[in-house]
């Protein structure tokens, strides 16, 4: 389990992963080498899974964000694997969760426009043999951006 300094380091990196060891050390009151070793240890122990840039969907032409709930027709393990393979191949599906309750999966999607969302639902998801029903919700506005995890 990370100590207080590690937790602060993780919080700082979630907000700006481009910081150098020197900048991290200054924020943490550590030397650059101490900060760098801590970051490396957290990476080695799997607390830090990777680094990536956050992009602006609108600037990329992705005008529609939605959540799609999928209810399966069958809970056969092979059907679930086939659906998981489909989800993994689709760039417009940016994340997917299995759920309790009425829906089996929740998909977060980004599409160029409503026609793209319509194609995803009617030409990709609904024709899949394991899918019984989908329910989509279009995001009107995001009140809180994806936030760092509590550390």
């Amino acid at each position: 389990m990370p100590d207080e300094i590690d937790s602060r380091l993780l919080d700082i990196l979630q907000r700006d992963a481009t910081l150098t060891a020197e900048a991290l050390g200054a924020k943490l009151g550590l030397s650059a080498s101490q900060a760098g070793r801590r970051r490396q240890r957290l990476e080695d122990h799997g607390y830090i899974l990777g680094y990536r840039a956050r992009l602006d969907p609108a600037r990329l032409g992705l005008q529609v964000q939605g959540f799609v709930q999928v209810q399966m027709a069958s809970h056969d393990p092979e059907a679930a694997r086939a659906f998981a393979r489909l989800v993994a191949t689709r760039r417009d599906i940016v994340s997917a969760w299995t759920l309790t309750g009425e829906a089996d999966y929740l998909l977060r999607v980004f599409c160029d426009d409503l026609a793209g969302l319509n194609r995803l639902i009617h030409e990709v998801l609904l024709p899949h043999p394991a899918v019984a029903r989908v329910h989509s919700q279009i995001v009107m506005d995001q009140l809180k951006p994806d936030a760092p995890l509590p550390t």
Side-chain angles (χ1 to χ4, degrees):
M1 197 69 179
D3 64 17
E4 181 186 337
I5 294 172
D6 288 342
S7 292
R8 287 181 34 224
L9 186 148
L10 291 169
D11 188 55
I12 291 166
L13 286 177
Q14 285 187 92
R15 296 173 197 287
D16 185 356
T18 65
L19 292 174
T20 64
E22 292 79 17
L24 275 174
K27 290 182 175 286
L28 296 168
L30 300 173
S31 70
S33 61
Q34 288 173 314
R37 281 193 302 273
R38 281 180 176 266
R39 176 174 27 197
Q40 185 62 52
R41 183 175 40 77
L42 291 166
E43 290 172 2
D44 292 346
H45 286 98
Y47 289 96
I48 299 171
L49 300 176
Y51 301 93
R52 62 178 62 145
R54 288 181 46 217
L55 305 179
D56 182 340
R59 288 191 180 261
L60 296 171
L62 301 169
Q63 300 299 319
V64 175
Q65 177 182 186
F67 290 93
V68 179
Q69 296 176 28
V70 178
Q71 188 175 23
M72 303 300 277
S74 165
H75 291 91
D76 173 69
E78 183 49 43
R81 284 190 291 276
F83 184 74
R85 284 191 299 273
L86 169 71
V87 167
T89 66
R90 298 294 305 192
R91 291 180 52 104
D92 44 5
I93 301 172
V94 298
S95 54
W97 300 270
T98 59
L99 304 173
T100 61
E102 190 173 327
D104 297 301
Y105 296 93
L106 177 65
L107 313 177
R108 183 179 184 193
V109 303
F110 281 90
C111 299
D112 294 339
D113 50 27
L114 286 174
L117 178 62
N118 185 59
R119 282 190 302 278
L120 174 64
I121 291 170
H122 292 281
E123 296 175 16
V124 176
L125 297 175
L126 283 172
H128 192 280
V131 172
R133 182 179 77 79
V134 301
H135 177 79
S136 63
Q137 298 168 305
I138 297 171
V139 173
M140 301 297 290
D141 193 13
Q142 188 170 0
L143 301 178
K144 180 178 180 180
D146 296 338
L149 294 174
T151 56

